[in-house]
Amino acid sequence: MTSLLAPVRWLYRLEWRRGFFDWARSDGVTWVYIFKVLFAAFLTLWLAMRLELPQPRTAMITVFIVMQPQSGQVFAKSFYRFLGTLAGSAVMVALIALFAQNTELFLGCLAIWVGICSAGAARYRNFRAYGFVLAGYTAAMIGLPALAHPEGAFMAAVWRVLEISLGIVCATLVSAAILPQTASAAMRNALYQRFGVFALFVTDGLRGRSKRETFEARNVGFIAEAVGLESLRSVTVFEDPHMRRRNGRLSRLNSEFMGITTRFNALHQLLERLRSSAADDVVNAIKPGLQTLAELLDGFSARALTDADGARLAAALADYKAELPAQVRRLRALFQESAPSDGAQLDFHTAYELLYRFVDDLHGYALTHASLADHRHERERWDEPFVPQTNGLAAAASGLRAAFILLVLGSYWVATAWPSGATMTMIAAATVGLSAATPNPKRMAFQMACGTLFGALIGFVEMFFIFPLIDGFPLLCVMLAPVIMLGSFLSSRPQYAGVGLGLLIFFSTGSVPDNLTVYNPYAFINDYFAMILGMLVCAAAGAIILPPNSRWLWRRLEQDLREQVVFAISGKLKGLASSFESGTRDLLHQAYGLAAGQPQVQRGLLRWMFVVLEVGHAIIELRKEQAILPVHPAYAESQPWRQAIRVMGRALVRLFRLPSQSNLERALVAVDHAISRVQATDEPFAPHFDTSALRRVKSYLHFIRTSLLDPQSPLAGYAIPHATALSQEPEHAP
């Protein structure tokens, strides 16, 4: 009987272990984070009390603000918090020295400073934004109480820097020493897993098995990963020398991944247009090359790509790339036997040109990935960083909103002489700063107000009914622990992050006792009422004053997306491709987040991104081709085909700045004219020199035209029958 039960017991133990490891990788990580926050907060509070700092709660609040699940994020946030605190303290001391006797001028200058800092936070949207946040509200939180006693302003700034430094040191030590979760490990895992997902996405697309909805959803995921990995890369330099040595390659890898996704999207879009237009002869002619690549990538699909796998992939792609030209020549000869039209031949050449460029970029990506195994490598030299794009009007609106709130609440405080008015203004400055970098400041401020209200109810009970009955630091920790654990849990959930943050920060602000505890119910109730009122004013301002999740910003970001084509046409060629790729994706990532809950808006923005990437990338390739053309009369600047391409560029600028039916027709005519000019140049010179460069130029021009006529593109609404007719016979266009 025992022997019969042994397999059952073994399976039970195996299942239990699997369940435990699954829990450890999900909820277990959250609970480790919660207990680390608890330990770091109590260690900081104990040290602050032992050192008799004026406000131990400030040191503990620093722990709640800088603590993150990953130690690298803690290092980065702590670094920028310290810099922001120094900047805010310096500005506060200067303002007090200048305007200590004039409250109105002090509040006006403070509002301007907080507005500038909030605009900076909205501009950067990463841990650097937190430095701007701290620079803004540190000046308010030190300067407003110091107005009553300006002679103590400098020492107040010194004490605050010391309290924040203590919190930073404790949070950093606990995060790095106790079950550390490193950002570098998260980044390696994300890099290894990302390519397997992409390879499966490519093989499905090459075989025609991907649906439009899946294609769009995958691209949104790749965009979010590219932006997220850039943030992770900037964090890993703080914690891991191993990753710091590879910082250039990590930046290059992210840039190259964006490049291969754009290459494949262009190829996929062309294939889908050919399949939907029933161009079976072209599809069948290019199918062998696609099938060979799909079979090559099958071995890397849906699995992690290690450094060794990267080397194997690079070798396989090098062999495929070396054989591809001969394969194309063979398939072209077979295809031309069927006497295809000029349009079909252009489709054939364009598809294989896009395929070759995709394989070439994919080979470069594999080489960079494989190079991560070495401490030093020549691919480390990379000077094309990720270039984020933020709408200037959106950042200015955030600054205007913050300055307005400070002016209104500060004026109310001065006019009414309310004792808690300074608290209201201080908390409003902190709230408007903390919510400035979020997609929905109104929601964030309101959630923080809810968390603060909950903290006020708990704090009143603890302050006046529990704290007088306990004695000693251990019992104080026992009473504070449930609130800190609840706040940490809520802050680890994105949908309740504002509630958790408000509970942790403002429960500590109003209810954690100082070394000399003062029990004053009147001041307690007034201060909490002022805090909640300040946050509600911030929420109202976020909903009324140029809210960032409203239609006006979607339109601005859509316009910025279209302007990326203008950037591709007129920007400096050095580093242009990388800047274009990262800027376009960053704009879409912002717009997609701001349009949450609006699927139609999100779909429209995503489709604008596709056409912008397709046209912009083709233009950059055209510019590169023209920059490296050999000396020959056919390539001279005065040639009609080069002049026609310049005219096409101006037409595309007009189209993407102001989409309309007439501008689309004008752009299509200009593209067709450029193709006919290249064709006219190609034929007389063909017997005398290699026309492959002109063939590539013609392929990119043809791809631009098919992108403009894509029925899935947002430009399709401007298409007219005459423009469609023009696209059928490009060689006869005027």
Side-chain angles (χ1 to χ4, degrees):
M1 187 68 179
T2 303
S3 61
L4 291 175
L5 291 176
V8 177
R9 290 172 180 166
W10 181 81
L11 287 173
Y12 174 78
R13 291 194 197 99
L14 182 62
E15 192 64 30
W16 182 86
R17 287 173 184 169
R18 286 176 180 168
F20 173 77
F21 287 123
D22 289 341
W23 176 86
R25 284 190 292 266
S26 55
D27 291 341
V29 174
T30 302
W31 283 104
V32 168
Y33 166 70
I34 290 171
F35 283 107
K36 287 166 72 171
V37 172
L38 204 62
F39 181 72
F42 290 151
L43 174 63
T44 303
L45 183 62
W46 179 77
L47 287 172
M49 288 182 167
R50 292 288 294 175
L51 295 171
E52 297 187 359
L53 297 178
Q55 289 187 318
R57 68 185 70 172
T58 300
M60 189 167 79
I61 290 170
T62 299
V63 172
F64 298 144
I65 293 177
V66 303
M67 278 297 281
Q68 299 287 317
Q70 296 167 349
S71 57
Q73 294 175 331
V74 177
F75 297 152
K77 205 168 186 181
S78 298
F79 175 75
Y80 290 116
R81 179 176 174 83
F82 184 73
L83 292 182
T85 301
L86 289 179
S89 300
V91 169
M92 183 278 303
V93 171
L95 292 179
I96 286 288
L98 293 171
F99 308 116
Q101 305 302 319
N102 195 320
T103 304
E104 291 78 7
L105 283 176
F106 176 85
L107 288 174
C109 293
L110 181 64
I112 293 172
W113 173 249
V114 172
I116 292 171
C117 292
S118 296
R123 165 68 178 82
Y124 284 98
R125 296 174 290 108
N126 55 24
F127 285 121
R128 273 181 284 183
Y130 192 63
F132 283 95
V133 171
L134 261 295
Y137 80 70
T138 295
M141 299 196 82
I142 301 175
L144 292 173
L147 275 176
H149 303 284
E151 70 280 358
F154 179 76
M155 286 308 301
V158 171
W159 284 119
R160 185 169 183 86
V161 170
L162 291 175
E163 290 157 359
I164 286 175
S165 299
L166 177 63
I168 286 173
V169 169
C170 292
T172 303
L173 287 176
V174 171
S175 179
I178 301 176
L179 299 174
Q181 298 285 327
T182 63
S184 55
M187 184 163 190
R188 278 194 294 268
N189 183 62
L191 284 175
Y192 290 170
Q193 297 294 335
R194 179 174 67 171
F195 186 80
V197 176
F198 178 70
L200 181 61
F201 172 67
V202 171
T203 54
D204 286 344
L206 292 176
R207 293 181 173 121
R209 296 196 302 229
S210 63
K211 298 180 180 178
R212 183 76 188 184
E213 295 78 12
T214 305
F215 175 77
E216 292 179 352
R218 286 292 188 193
N219 270 284
V220 172
F222 292 144
I223 291 167
E225 286 179 356
V227 176
L229 279 173
E230 176 59 23
S231 298
L232 269 180
R233 184 196 61 79
S234 64
V235 164
T236 56
V237 298
F238 285 93
E239 69 169 7
D240 191 346
H242 176 86
M243 301 300 280
R244 193 155 51 244
R245 292 191 196 100
R246 294 159 174 78
N247 188 49
R249 278 170 282 173
L250 293 173
S251 178
R252 180 175 191 153
L253 203 63
N254 206 26
S255 178
E256 289 176 337
F257 184 79
M258 290 187 290
I260 61 175
T261 55
T262 298
R263 292 285 193 191
F264 178 71
N265 287 344
L267 176 61
H268 180 271
Q269 296 287 75
L270 179 62
L271 294 175
E272 287 300 301
R273 289 193 282 268
L274 292 175
R275 289 166 182 149
S276 63
S277 63
D280 295 335
D281 53 342
V282 182
V283 173
N284 291 331
I286 61 181
K287 189 174 182 179
L290 305 180
Q291 184 64 29
T292 306
L293 180 60
E295 291 171 357
L296 186 156
L297 292 176
D298 280 337
F300 303 92
S301 299
R303 57 187 291 265
L305 184 75
T306 64
D307 300 341
D309 290 334
R312 288 196 303 108
L313 175 63
L317 287 170
D319 293 339
Y320 176 84
K321 188 171 69 168
E323 296 170 0
L324 188 59
Q327 184 182 28
V328 172
R329 286 192 293 270
R330 185 174 65 254
L331 292 172
R332 183 171 61 216
L334 294 173
F335 181 56
Q336 288 176 344
E337 289 178 1
S338 62
S341 65
D342 290 339
Q345 291 188 55
L346 265 178
D347 286 330
F348 176 89
H349 289 302
T350 302
Y352 268 111
E353 183 64 33
L354 292 174
L355 178 63
Y356 183 85
R357 295 293 185 182
F358 170 63
V359 172
D360 187 48
D361 286 357
L362 192 60
H363 179 241
Y365 177 87
L367 289 174
T368 305
H369 191 99
S371 73
L372 294 176
D374 301 325
H375 285 302
R376 290 183 176 82
H377 199 277
E378 62 180 0
R379 298 186 78 83
E380 180 69 21
R381 293 193 295 272
W382 182 253
D383 59 352
E384 298 182 17
F386 188 97
V387 181
Q389 292 283 341
T390 303
N391 184 272
L393 183 57
S398 180
L400 177 66
R401 195 181 307 121
F404 178 79
I405 291 169
L406 262 291
L407 282 175
V408 169
L409 296 183
S411 300
Y412 177 79
W413 169 42
V414 171
T416 61
W418 182 25
S420 296
T423 301
M424 176 182 64
T425 310
M426 284 190 303
I427 299 307
T431 304
V432 77
L434 290 170
S435 61
T438 62
N440 194 338
K442 174 194 69 174
R443 183 172 181 269
M444 183 67 173
F446 183 74
Q447 282 195 349
M448 290 175 68
C450 293
T452 303
L453 177 61
F454 189 42
L457 298 175
I458 299 173
F460 187 84
V461 174
E462 294 205 354
M463 176 65 77
F464 299 107
F465 296 97
I466 297 178
F467 290 166
L469 303 178
I470 64 174
D471 185 24
F473 187 77
L475 285 177
L476 176 64
C477 293
V478 171
M479 293 299 103
L480 296 177
V483 183
I484 296 175
M485 292 177 69
L486 176 61
S488 301
F489 177 79
L490 291 174
S491 64
S492 68
R493 296 292 186 264
Q495 63 270 35
Y496 303 115
V499 178
L501 196 62
L503 177 59
L504 285 173
I505 294 176
F506 299 108
F507 169 81
S508 302
T509 300
S511 305
V512 172
D514 291 326
N515 277 323
L516 179 61
T517 306
V518 178
Y519 297 98
N520 186 343
Y522 175 80
F524 182 93
I525 294 172
N526 262 278
D527 285 347
Y528 265 114
F529 180 75
M531 291 182 200
I532 295 170
L533 181 61
M535 293 176 194
L536 292 178
V537 170
C538 291
I544 297 170
I545 304 174
L546 298 175
N549 60 333
S550 59
R551 191 177 187 85
W552 73 273
L553 188 53
W554 303 339
R555 295 296 188 191
R556 293 293 303 181
L557 290 173
E558 180 186 299
Q559 183 178 345
D560 288 347
L561 267 176
R562 298 199 306 267
E563 285 286 334
Q564 288 294 101
V565 174
V566 181
F567 175 60
I569 293 171
S570 59
K572 291 182 179 179
L573 199 55
K574 180 176 173 56
L576 179 61
S578 178
S579 299
F580 171 78
E581 295 277 1
S582 56
T584 304
R585 282 169 170 78
D586 190 54
L587 284 169
L588 190 277
H589 183 65
Q590 293 174 64
Y592 211 82
L594 293 171
Q598 302 283 338
Q600 292 296 332
V601 175
Q602 290 180 324
R603 189 173 299 113
L605 290 166
L606 187 63
R607 291 183 178 180
W608 269 118
M609 186 208 70
F610 285 138
V611 71
V612 165
L613 282 176
E614 290 174 18
V615 174
H617 212 276
I619 289 169
I620 293 171
E621 292 299 326
L622 276 174
R623 292 183 61 188
K624 288 181 178 178
E625 287 291 343
Q626 294 179 77
I628 60 173
L629 288 174
V631 178
H632 191 279
Y635 302 138
E637 288 284 345
S638 58
Q639 279 289 328
W641 69 271
R642 299 197 71 163
Q643 295 177 10
I645 289 177
R646 285 194 288 272
V647 171
M648 178 199 72
R650 291 193 291 271
L652 289 174
V653 167
R654 283 194 297 270
L655 172 63
F656 280 89
R657 280 186 170 163
L658 185 62
S660 67
Q661 183 176 325
S662 60
N663 283 342
L664 176 60
E665 183 179 7
R666 187 181 291 111
L668 285 168
V669 169
V671 174
D672 289 338
H673 183 55
I675 293 174
S676 67
R677 288 300 187 187
V678 174
Q679 181 74 23
T681 302
D682 191 357
E683 291 171 355
F685 284 100
H688 307 291
F689 76 109
D690 181 13
T691 60
S692 57
L694 287 180
R695 187 181 299 125
R696 289 194 295 270
V697 168
K698 193 161 53 175
S699 294
Y700 285 117
L701 291 171
H702 177 64
F703 180 71
I704 291 173
R705 185 187 60 193
T706 59
S707 297
L708 296 179
L709 290 171
D710 184 1
Q712 300 294 334
S713 163
L715 292 171
Y718 304 108
I720 56 174
H722 176 56
T724 306
L726 281 173
S727 69
Q728 303 302 318
E729 298 295 337
E731 62 275 15
H732 300 306

